[in-house]
Structure formats: structure tokens, C-alpha cells
Amino acid sequence: MTLMKKTATELQTLLHNREVSVKEVTEDSFKQIKALDDKVQAFLTLTEEDALARAEQLDNEPLENRGSLFGLPIGIKDNIITKGITTTCASKMLENFVPVYDAAVVEKVHEAGMISVGKLNMDEFAMGSTTERSAFQTTHNPWKLDRVPGGSSGGSAAAVAAGEVLFSLGTDTGGSVRQPAAFCGIVGMKPTYGRISRYGLVAFASSLDQIGPLTRTVEDNAMLLSAIAGVDHRDSSSSSKEIPNLIAGLTGDIKGLRIAVPKEYMGEGVAQDVKESVQAALTVLESLGATWDEVSLPHSHYASPTYYAIATAEASSNLARFDGIRYGYHPENAKNLNEIYLRARAEGFGTEVKKRILYGTYALSADHHEDLYVKAMKVRTLIAQDFASVFENYDIIVGPTSATTAYEIGGVVRDSLTLYTNDILTVPVNLAGIPAISIPCGFSDGLPIGLQMIGKHFDEATLYRVAHAFEQATEHHKRTPSIGEGQE
């Protein structure tokens, strides 16, 4: 049996007792990747030689210097900067870009003694929800290979679900950690904005982006967040707010917990099997001592246009730096400066990225800035106020992570109501800057269903406590995909 199906705590026990070495754990991860990734296509770059060399070094570390994540493999989404390792954002624009420094989260991962095994596929510049918009390959859902893993952090979710790594890092701008976690049946946390430094994250929409951990269990997720969170002087938006002991809070006790269930999250656009799984999850939480009521988040209906006005405007500004001169794709045989600009962006960016740049440029134009971008920022405040109002009387908000299970690869979701509902389930959390976690709560036709829990600012501890209690009371997290067995 692969070591990648064990938890971090189980592996640490084996490492502490010298029953396995760090090198053996790392070798097992690469063995899994080589056996499965031809089908899953989660990784864009592997760093086997460097990883094994680091593992040999770490095996010489004394036991007293080893923390809870020491010697464990992790995959990094390919929009997070890694020194000396190609960082492409799954775009032709950055196909050969090799950074000269590490992102803050990569530094912290290394400080914890973890071993990066490679860079993970994604939608180009994190713009998409299926990982089909990568310039290099399409990642497949380990549960059914003809289904998408979600996006934009689809590679990060698929690698964990497939058992290639125990941990991965993704990014969440409008649901891009939580939705892939739901589609792949794993745990994905979008922390409070500012909880984790964005230094070294290639920006999509700077006021919405947040790095988050993806794991198989809630405890593993809390361990990784504890390691990568914290203030960073290089990111002025990072918070100095104290990080509580997230592991100590995993007591299983949720008696007296007050849960709000927004009626907007359980409406017409949510598939019946998803609704039933969420209702069953609420029954489990009730049995553990929690209570719940239906509430309303009235401005959720405006979340989608608000999000796209703000996100595309910020993307238009952030991606202006990719001009074909300083770094990135440079067109051959360009006759003049203007042609370099035009061809670099036309040839380097994919269709979805170009569309969002155009939308954002329009939203920021002199004629439309007030009625699009400024108005969206005002509605963003109303959405945040909705959450604040609910949290005056409730501890967490619960609902589905996605309106459906994973879509077919190459399929087009033509149901506008489903698309609209998917947006209102995830993007308001980013607009409000609050934390949310997705955990598996059921299956339909062999595909996982995700339960989303939303918390107050900087209250990841409560989300982990409730998610862990639910996880321990159910069996959903124990199911794993059988890749290649009857799958096409």
C-alpha cells in the first residue's frame, strides 16, 4: 500500500520510529506520480532529483528538530513562484520563466521541512473552473477520468485525491480551492484574506486572491495552514493577527454551535442529489449538538456581476506587465516595438485570458469606470455586510460548495441557472474576504459532493473544529478513487 494514503500524523509516527525514511516517503510519492499521472495529468513539472537530494539531507536531522510536517511531500500550484523551477501559470506567456526567488509560502513550506515534488497544472493565470484552459494539458478527475477536477486549482486537487501527494497548495480567487476540492472529494480551505502572504503569487485579482491548502483530511489541512500563515512585511495586505493553535481545537465538540443555511444556497439551481447530501450533513451536525436555521443573504444575487467587474478589472491591470520585453513570451522576427507588444500578448495569452483583459479594460475605461467598477465595489460592501449581519447571531454558514458534481471534460454547462448558482455559492466569500472550507459530504453516481462551511474573519479555528467533527462522524473522507480500474 502506498504511503500517500496515510495521514500526516501516521507518517510522522513511522518517521519518528525510523520505520521509514524521508527518502522512502519521497520515493513513494514519485512512484505514485509515475504510475498515475499519465492518466490524471496533474503535474506540469517534476523536481525528482532535487527532492530526493533534499530528502537524504533531512534524514540526517535529529528527531527533536522535526515538526508535524517534516519530510512530507507537497505539490505547488504553478502560479506560485519557486526559485530555479519553471513557473508557467499554465500559459505560453511564461512557458520558459524560471524565477530567482521563492514565494513566501514556499519558504515556509521548506522551513517546515516539507519536500516540494513539483508544480501543478491549472487554468491559465487561474482564469477558469475546470483546468481545461491550461495551455499545456487537461487534468482529469481521479474519480472519473472523463470528468473535470474543477479549477483553477484542478491539478492541486487531483494530485491529492489520486494519492500522488499528501498536500498541495492552490489559490482561490472566486472558489478555485473549494470547488476543485468538492469535485475531487478532498478538503480545501480558502483562508481569510490576509491570513497568508501573497508575496510570490502571480496575481490574478489582488483584492480577491488567497493561497489555500488542499489535503485528504481536516487535521492535515489545519497543520499546513498553521505552517504557512502569518504576517509578512513584503505583503502589505498580510495580517499580524495571532494564529491560534488549530490542532488543539479539533476536539469533536460542537454542542451549542449555531448554523445559518442561506436560502439562496439551496435554491432552484442546486441539483437534487447535492441538496439531499447537504441536508443529510445538517442532520449529522444536529446529532452532534448543533442547531441550524434558514437565513437570507439578499445581495448574493449580485455576486456574479460584481465579481466579474472587479476581478477582470484587476486582472487587466495585473497582466499589463506581460509585454514581451521584460520577461515572458517574446515573438520572433518582430519588426518594431509595437509589433512586439501586439504579438506577445496575442500569441502568449489564451482566449479566456484575453477575454478577461478586454472586459477589465472596458470596466476601467473613463466612460465606464463609475457605472461598472465603482458600482461593483459598492455592491461588494453590501455583500460583506450581509455576512456580518448573519454572523451577529450565528457561528458558521453552511451550504453546498458547488451546485452539481464534476462536469464532463469537453462538455459545456449550458444551464445558465446552474452557472449562476455556482457563482453565488463561492464568489461572495472572496468578495467579503472571509474564510471557507469544503469537505466531502456524499457521493452521487460515483462522484463526490462538497459541503461548504463559511466562517467569520480570521476564525478558521471554528471551521476546522466543525469540519473535523463532521469528518469523524462520517465515512466520506475514507473513500478513495480507483484510478484505471474500469475507467476510460
Side-chain angles (χ1 to χ4, degrees):
M1 177 182 172
T2 173
L3 296 170
M4 295 301 104
K5 295 294 177 72
K6 296 186 179 296
T7 67
T9 301
E10 290 169 341
L11 271 181
Q12 280 306 327
T13 300
L14 295 175
L15 287 167
H16 186 83
N17 294 336
R18 308 284 188 182
E19 295 178 53
V20 297
S21 66
V22 175
K23 186 177 181 182
E24 287 172 329
V25 173
T26 307
E27 287 174 336
D28 189 76
S29 178
F30 283 110
K31 179 182 176 182
Q32 287 292 100
I33 294 168
K34 290 171 184 176
L36 301 173
D37 212 54
D38 280 349
K39 296 183 178 72
V40 178
Q41 297 281 289
F43 280 90
L44 289 175
T45 303
L46 292 175
T47 56
E48 185 171 10
E49 185 177 341
D50 289 345
L52 291 174
R54 176 169 165 77
E56 288 183 355
Q57 290 179 336
L58 292 177
D59 272 324
N60 295 320
E61 284 287 326
L63 293 178
E64 58 268 23
N65 293 347
R66 301 184 177 193
S68 59
L69 298 173
F70 184 89
L72 302 183
I74 185 170
I76 310 292
K77 188 176 179 181
D78 206 27
N79 60 343
I80 298 173
I81 294 292
T82 45
K83 183 178 180 179
I85 302 167
T86 306
T87 300
T88 71
C89 293
S91 176
K92 185 178 178 182
M93 178 62 80
L94 291 175
E95 187 171 7
N96 299 307
F97 175 56
V98 180
V100 296
Y101 67 97
D102 279 326
V105 289
V106 175
E107 292 174 347
K108 291 200 169 193
V109 159
H110 290 160
E111 288 168 8
M114 301 187 80
I115 296 177
S116 173
V117 298
K119 305 299 291 292
L120 292 156
N121 196 27
M122 55 184 282
D123 287 296
E124 184 181 5
F125 282 100
M127 298 181 191
S129 58
T130 65
T131 315
E132 294 173 288
R133 294 191 174 110
S134 167
F136 306 121
Q137 63 195 39
T138 296
T139 300
H140 299 254
N141 191 314
W143 291 93
K144 287 192 176 181
L145 295 173
D146 63 346
R147 302 299 179 108
V148 302
S152 63
S153 305
S156 301
V160 172
E164 297 178 342
V165 288
L166 272 78
F167 303 88
S168 69
L169 291 179
T171 62
D172 194 313
T173 307
S176 289
V177 162
R178 291 161 287 150
Q179 183 248 33
F183 280 7
C184 291
I186 62 170
V187 180
M189 168 66 88
K190 181 264 168 201
T192 305
Y193 184 80
R195 178 62 93 183
I196 296 172
S197 171
R198 291 181 297 108
Y199 176 77
L201 169 64
V202 180
F204 165 10
S206 302
S207 74
L208 301 167
D209 297 338
Q210 186 61 79
I211 296 167
L214 295 103
T215 59
R216 282 182 46 244
T217 69
V218 174
E219 183 179 27
D220 285 0
N221 203 280
M223 285 182 184
L224 183 52
L225 181 63
S226 298
I228 63 175
V231 67
D232 178 7
H233 71 274
R234 296 164 299 184
D235 174 10
S236 60
S237 68
S238 70
S239 172
S240 59
K241 197 168 182 68
E242 183 182 354
I243 305 160
N245 187 328
L246 299 175
I247 305 303
L250 305 182
T251 62
D253 182 12
I254 61 168
K255 290 176 183 176
L257 184 86
R258 299 165 300 169
I259 300 172
V261 181
K263 62 182 181 181
E264 292 84 2
Y265 290 8
M266 297 289 279
E268 189 180 348
V270 180
Q272 187 59 35
D273 52 357
V274 174
K275 286 183 184 178
E276 291 172 359
S277 288
V278 172
Q279 290 287 357
L282 289 169
T283 301
V284 171
L285 293 170
E286 279 186 307
S287 73
L288 296 172
T291 60
W292 67 273
D293 297 306
E294 185 178 83
V295 299
S296 179
L297 295 170
H299 293 98
S300 295
H301 294 296
Y302 304 105
S304 186
T306 301
Y307 169 80
Y308 282 104
I310 294 170
T312 59
E314 294 185 9
S316 172
S317 176
N318 281 324
L319 270 62
R321 71 193 69 178
F322 300 108
D323 55 13
I325 296 177
R326 287 169 288 185
Y327 45 77
Y329 177 77
H330 184 83
E332 295 182 2
N333 304 317
K335 298 174 183 175
N336 51 52
L337 182 62
N338 197 47
E339 187 177 338
I340 291 175
Y341 288 153
L342 291 173
R343 285 183 53 198
R345 293 171 71 80
E347 297 169 14
F349 289 135
T351 301
E352 183 63 25
V353 175
K354 285 186 276 194
K355 279 166 53 179
R356 297 200 192 197
I357 290 172
L358 288 171
Y359 295 157
T361 303
Y362 182 83
L364 290 175
S365 64
D367 291 342
H368 301 286
H369 176 260
E370 288 289 333
D371 58 341
L372 288 176
Y373 184 73
V374 172
K375 186 178 288 186
M377 292 298 287
K378 292 177 180 178
V379 177
R380 180 181 192 170
T381 300
L382 295 175
I383 290 170
Q385 289 173 349
D386 282 351
F387 282 114
S389 178
V390 169
F391 284 132
E392 288 177 4
N393 299 303
Y394 297 93
D395 300 304
I396 66 168
I397 294 169
V398 167
T401 309
S402 174
T404 66
T405 54
Y407 330 127
E408 289 185 3
I409 290 176
V412 179
V413 181
R414 300 188 185 279
D415 183 356
S416 59
L417 185 58
T418 297
L419 292 171
Y420 162 78
T421 305
N422 278 334
D423 281 342
I424 69 169
L425 290 174
T426 56
V427 300
V429 166
N430 298 81
L431 292 168
I434 53 181
I437 191 170
S438 179
I439 58 174
C441 71
F443 287 81
S444 178
D445 192 27
L447 290 167
I449 294 170
L451 180 73
Q452 180 174 218
M453 299 178 181
I454 303 169
K456 302 173 185 178
H457 280 100
F458 296 103
D459 194 16
E460 289 86 359
T462 296
L463 293 182
Y464 279 130
R465 178 166 60 90
V466 182
H468 181 261
F470 177 82
E471 181 184 76
Q472 296 306 301
T474 58
E475 300 288 318
H476 308 302
H477 67 289
K478 294 181 180 180
R479 291 181 61 173
T480 56
S482 299
I483 302 166
E485 297 180 17
Q487 294 197 52
E488 297 297 330

